[in-house]
Amino acid sequence: MFTEEELIQFHGVFQNTQEFLEIDCGCTNPRYGDTPGKLRVYIDGKIEIDCTCMDNCPKVNISPIEFARHAGRTNAHNNWKSQIWVFSHDGHKIALWRTCLLKYHTQTFQRPLRQVIHRDEFLRCSQCNKERRFILRNKEGCKIYHQALANNNWRCSDVPNHSLTCDDAEERGSRKVCRGCPRDSKCGGCEKCVCFGCDWCRFDDCNCETCVEFIINL
């Protein structure tokens, strides 16, 4: 995966195979000090870390973001590449982003572009059984829908600012087919209006499986 010329600048390289590289790493918390670990970079771009802060630490095969959070760093979602380091050949700490170790990760996992349009979505009230429209034109709107979708007992009264009640009439069926697609007002779903994950509709403070997988693979 890496040439001898590339690796000569590092200290603590354990394995360099055709499938992965394993190297000592760490993350420094200004208050608590260094948290050591072993970082593996795979040929497919995946990065995993085993924490070695103690012999029986359960944090193994975790993502760089999880490792930085385990070390007590905040904002790890955006800054893990600068928060996690490896040792240079002379024992100095080098942030990952300054090394060649991310070349496979960068080539494989590019941050998904923000979807220009998220089509409107509908959710049925658990109390009045009426379908309600959610307009996803910004990150706030996406989060309101995301939280409502995760709530099996969502009700009209849960809409922010109490702007909707169960007494309000449901949209007509002919109106529901219009969901904001820029290509066709009556589109049933296409690549222009259906999003499979972007930084508007996935959230690093959400613990659902969809968001966690998205954040880990950034």
Side-chain angles (χ1 to χ4, degrees):
M1 286 181 59
F2 297 92
T3 65
E4 290 185 9
E5 290 75 16
E6 288 175 317
L7 295 182
I8 197 172
Q9 60 181 305
F10 301 114
H11 173 73
V13 176
F14 284 92
Q15 295 188 64
N16 180 32
T17 71
Q18 293 182 345
E19 297 180 354
F20 71 91
L21 168 83
E22 185 174 77
I23 186 172
D24 280 337
C25 71
C27 184
T28 301
N29 183 298
R31 175 176 294 182
Y32 304 112
D34 294 348
T35 298
K38 293 190 185 305
L39 179 145
R40 287 184 300 279
V41 182
Y42 292 89
I43 191 68
D44 64 358
K46 185 178 181 180
I47 295 178
E48 290 182 342
I49 298 177
D50 292 349
C51 181
T52 57
C53 64
M54 54 184 179
D55 292 339
N56 59 345
C57 180
K59 298 294 185 178
V60 295
N61 300 328
I62 61 175
S63 72
I65 295 175
E66 290 178 275
F67 177 68
R69 287 174 175 166
H70 178 58
R73 297 305 302 263
T74 58
N75 203 22
H77 165 50
N78 295 317
N79 297 329
W80 65 269
K81 294 177 184 178
S82 61
Q83 293 170 344
I84 298 174
W85 43 261
V86 293
F87 288 111
S88 66
H89 68 281
D90 56 2
H92 290 93
K93 298 170 183 174
I94 314 174
L96 279 183
W97 73 272
R98 293 181 177 275
T99 74
C100 62
L101 299 177
L102 294 178
K103 67 178 183 179
Y104 294 98
H105 180 80
T106 302
Q107 292 166 5
T108 305
F109 294 109
Q110 295 291 340
R111 187 178 183 87
L113 296 176
R114 179 174 300 148
Q115 181 85 356
V116 177
I117 293 292
H118 289 78
R119 68 176 185 164
D120 298 346
E121 300 290 351
F122 288 88
L123 197 60
R124 193 174 296 277
C125 173
S126 63
Q127 185 168 320
C128 68
N129 205 37
K130 296 175 182 176
E131 279 193 324
R132 300 305 191 184
R133 181 186 296 265
F134 287 77
I135 300 175
L136 314 184
R137 297 294 182 269
N138 52 39
K139 190 172 181 69
E140 181 183 6
C142 289
K143 189 161 192 176
I144 291 172
Y145 172 69
H146 187 77
Q147 292 173 334
L149 189 64
N151 181 4
N152 293 329
N153 296 313
W154 182 85
R155 296 177 297 179
C156 296
S157 58
D158 293 328
V159 173
N161 301 320
H162 304 289
S163 57
L164 186 68
T165 70
C166 289
D167 293 331
D168 295 324
E170 184 176 1
E171 281 192 35
R172 299 189 305 272
S174 58
R175 173 68 182 129
K176 287 181 182 179
V177 298
C178 300
R179 299 178 66 170
C181 177
R183 175 179 291 177
D184 182 354
S185 62
K186 297 183 179 181
C187 175
C190 70
E191 70 274 11
K192 289 290 186 180
C193 64
V194 176
C195 181
F196 294 99
C198 74
D199 58 356
W200 266 18
C201 60
R202 300 291 182 264
F203 310 95
D204 59 0
D205 59 350
C206 176
N207 293 321
C208 77
E209 183 178 355
T210 302
C211 287
V212 169
E213 288 184 356
F214 176 84
I215 298 301
I216 287 176
N217 287 325
L218 284 180

